[in-house]
Amino acid sequence: MTAEQTNPAARPPADPVVGTAYGAVRGRHERGVAVFRGVPYAAPPFGPRRFRPPVPPEPWDGVRDAGSFGPTAPKPPYSEAFGTYLSDPDVPGDDCLNLNVWTPEPSRGARLPVLVWFHGGALTRGSSAVPVYDGHAFARDGVVCVSVNYRLGVEGYGLFPDAPANSGLRDQLAALEWVHHSIAAFGGDPARVTLAGQSAGAISVGALVAAPQAQGLFRRAVLQSGPPEVSDRDKVRRMVRRMAARLRVPATAEAFAAVDRDALLRAQAEVGRLSSPVLGGPAFGIAVDGDLVPRDPLEALVEGDVARGAELLVGWTRDEYRLWLVPGGLLERVDRLGPVALAGAMARCHRGHEVPRGYRALHPGAGTAEIVGQMVTDHLLRVPLQRLAEARPGSTYVYEFAWPSRLPGLGACHALELGFVFDTGRVPESAKLAGEGAPQELADAMHGAWVRFAETGDPGWEGWDQRHPVRVFGDGGCGGAHTAYGPRDAEIGLWETSGGTTAAAARGAAAVTITSELVADGGQAAPAAGPLPALLTARLVRGGELRSAVRRLRRVAGVRRH
């Protein structure tokens, strides 16, 4: 007789089965927690449902297997340069509106806190199947973790005259509604839901926190390296029109729905290759639609009463910009551009010469790329997140991630904190960005703070107040954490004292969007502001011809004065 026959306790547990509103699903027991992957929360968004709001999935009979990740949304691959650092699995299939659940106790009586994760990727890449986002550690520590796939790129965020806007955000709302109605069966408490996301996922969380239709579906929220924001509608329409021109079809949802999926992705990748968080360029984004997004979410959260009872955990990494500039050698190219790159950054940030002068005074040894990178990071991330904290003192907690990657040049770059938040530093996909030997004690500190926040709304340090407390994780390369008070106030203060947009920034420093030779295409981008006013072609800067580039810049600025 086998050990299992003589000792029933030695038998592996039967696969967990949970009932949902649409049918039962069978998961797996893995390392002491139950995992359900690829559970549909909406019907496949193709055929007659393409470019339309999500609808509930068709119910199924019997028990549906939920042992592997479901299909991912259509997306172009990362460029070779970014693929060195970032993983983005591609699972084929139409049923891409699915989610995954990790739970320590799949039973209605558990009533555990829930964390719902929205991945980043510039709203054009990423998925819930990225191994760094494995929710095992959250479930191990008593938090039900849900990760969500949603439509990306033009399928999720294109603006058309014949279709509603923000389909990808509507997918996320549908996933939240699924959580509200179904998570109790998996051991979660629908009254203790924390929304969480990084980069584009954090932008999505900000929009959902402000959305009228999402009120009552969450209790608190985490925004990592992404503020609440919206994109300019005309900018998004330009993306659609450029794609339409390449595809030789009308810029309508009906025409795009008839285009082969791969052809649509190729056109999207070609049009979006100039996009960069630091340098600007075309990009998809959430748009005000008068419905799900009735106004700019940041203004709604700062000025209005929406979600006033929700606790917020917000923060950034110390060197966000290095993920945007290091792949492909863009960091060195920005340094070589010198004054041209600085002029572009001033216009992109709507600031005059006093701001970069202030940065240089605070960081006398910094090169142009560091000054440009930190300026744009403050403009895109830190200033709006600090505005949010200032408007919601006491219930907003702010952090900075400062541990530098073991890989050359990356520093504490964008997305580096994810392996520590999920405590997945040992998976190879985390090492692609962090290098080998990431400190476990830092993961313990950071992951533990996120668990406490999901459980209680208090991550373990003071809420934002007039002292500006910021929990710094991994400062100086160490594995611990400490609370600093206003560690970046000097830089942020430059924005407050600069008097807004100056004539130099608005006219004399016409900005630069550097084309394909200089811009890293794609990447896990932070929020993308509007396109920069002027375009320097690669030939202007090739071979170090900076003086001609500056002359061209001045000519453009002179035209703008008239």
Side-chain angles (χ1 to χ4, degrees), residues 120-511:
L123 298 178
T124 56
R125 294 175 173 88
S127 79
S128 66
V130 175
V132 178
Y133 306 150
D134 187 290
H136 173 269
F138 280 105
R140 176 199 68 199
D141 295 332
V143 176
V144 176
C145 183
V146 180
S147 61
V148 179
N149 282 338
Y150 55 94
R151 278 175 282 183
L152 303 168
V154 70
E155 301 269 6
Y157 297 93
L159 277 179
F160 300 98
D162 55 339
N166 299 317
S167 292
L169 190 65
R170 295 176 192 276
D171 295 342
Q172 295 170 355
L173 177 64
L176 281 187
E177 291 169 340
W178 183 96
V179 168
H180 184 73
H181 294 296
S182 299
I183 203 63
F186 293 82
D189 184 349
R192 287 200 291 165
V193 171
T194 297
L195 308 185
Q198 185 267 349
S199 193
I203 296 171
S204 302
V205 168
L208 290 168
V209 170
Q213 295 92 325
Q215 304 310 302
L217 299 179
F218 64 91
R219 178 65 186 84
R220 47 190 65 102
V222 181
L223 287 79
Q224 299 174 215
S225 301
E229 69 161 27
V230 289
S231 294
D232 179 78
R233 289 179 64 89
D234 288 338
K235 176 185 174 183
V236 179
R237 286 195 186 100
R238 283 196 295 273
M239 284 285 288
V240 173
R241 286 196 295 266
R242 291 174 185 179
M243 289 183 64
R246 287 181 178 272
L247 294 166
R248 298 182 180 180
V249 300
T252 64
E254 180 182 13
F256 273 50
V259 174
D260 173 76
R261 209 176 299 174
D262 291 337
L264 203 63
L265 287 177
R266 285 194 298 272
Q268 178 181 300
E270 290 166 359
V271 168
R273 68 189 174 87
L274 304 184
S275 179
S276 163
V278 174
L279 301 172
F284 286 108
I286 296 168
V288 171
D289 58 18
D291 174 24
L292 184 58
V293 188
R295 61 182 296 200
D296 185 318
L298 180 61
E299 300 306 321
L301 293 171
V302 167
E303 299 173 0
D305 292 328
V306 62
R308 274 290 164 187
E311 299 96 350
L312 302 178
L313 173 58
V314 305
W316 49 75
T317 71
R318 182 164 293 179
D319 306 308
E320 300 270 5
Y321 66 96
R322 288 185 171 269
L323 183 63
W324 312 326
L325 293 184
V326 168
L330 189 57
L331 190 79
E332 293 79 8
R333 297 181 188 186
V334 171
D335 270 335
R336 288 200 301 270
L337 281 171
V340 177
L342 203 57
M346 286 189 294
R348 178 153 175 71
C349 300
H350 311 297
R351 289 298 183 271
H353 294 282
E354 68 277 11
V355 171
R357 280 200 298 266
Y359 276 73
R360 288 205 182 279
L362 291 164
H363 306 284
T368 298
E370 183 176 350
I371 298 296
V372 167
Q374 293 290 9
M375 276 182 61
V376 175
T377 300
D378 282 350
H379 173 63
L380 295 177
L381 297 177
R382 298 189 185 107
V383 171
L385 286 174
Q386 183 162 326
R387 276 191 68 201
L388 186 59
E390 292 282 0
R392 293 168 175 256
S395 62
T396 301
Y397 301 85
V398 181
Y399 75 90
E400 178 171 278
F401 180 82
W403 182 81
S405 170
R406 306 283 195 203
L407 300 180
L410 288 179
C413 68
H414 193 64
L416 181 59
E417 86 281 12
L418 292 170
F420 298 89
V421 168
F422 281 87
D423 192 10
T424 51
R426 292 183 178 86
V427 305
E429 290 78 6
S430 285
K432 287 179 68 174
L433 197 59
E436 299 295 336
Q440 182 60 45
E441 61 268 29
L442 179 56
D444 294 342
M446 202 165 195
H447 173 73
W450 265 240
V451 169
R452 286 191 298 273
F453 184 74
E455 290 176 337
T456 68
D458 182 351
W461 64 93
E462 304 100 317
W464 189 264
D465 58 24
Q466 70 276 6
R467 300 170 301 154
H468 296 182
V470 177
R471 178 57 58 97
V472 181
F473 290 97
D475 193 17
C478 68
H482 68 276
T483 300
Y485 294 89
R488 293 196 56 83
D489 280 358
E491 284 91 340
I492 300 298
L494 292 169
W495 300 79
E496 302 301 325
T497 59
S498 65
T501 304
T502 66
R507 301 185 301 177

Side-chain angles (χ1 to χ4, degrees), residues 73-95:
K75 57 191 175 178
Y78 281 123
S79 66
E80 183 178 353
F82 276 93
T84 301
Y85 300 106
L86 301 172
S87 296
D88 194 9
D90 183 29
V91 182
D94 288 351
D95 208 356

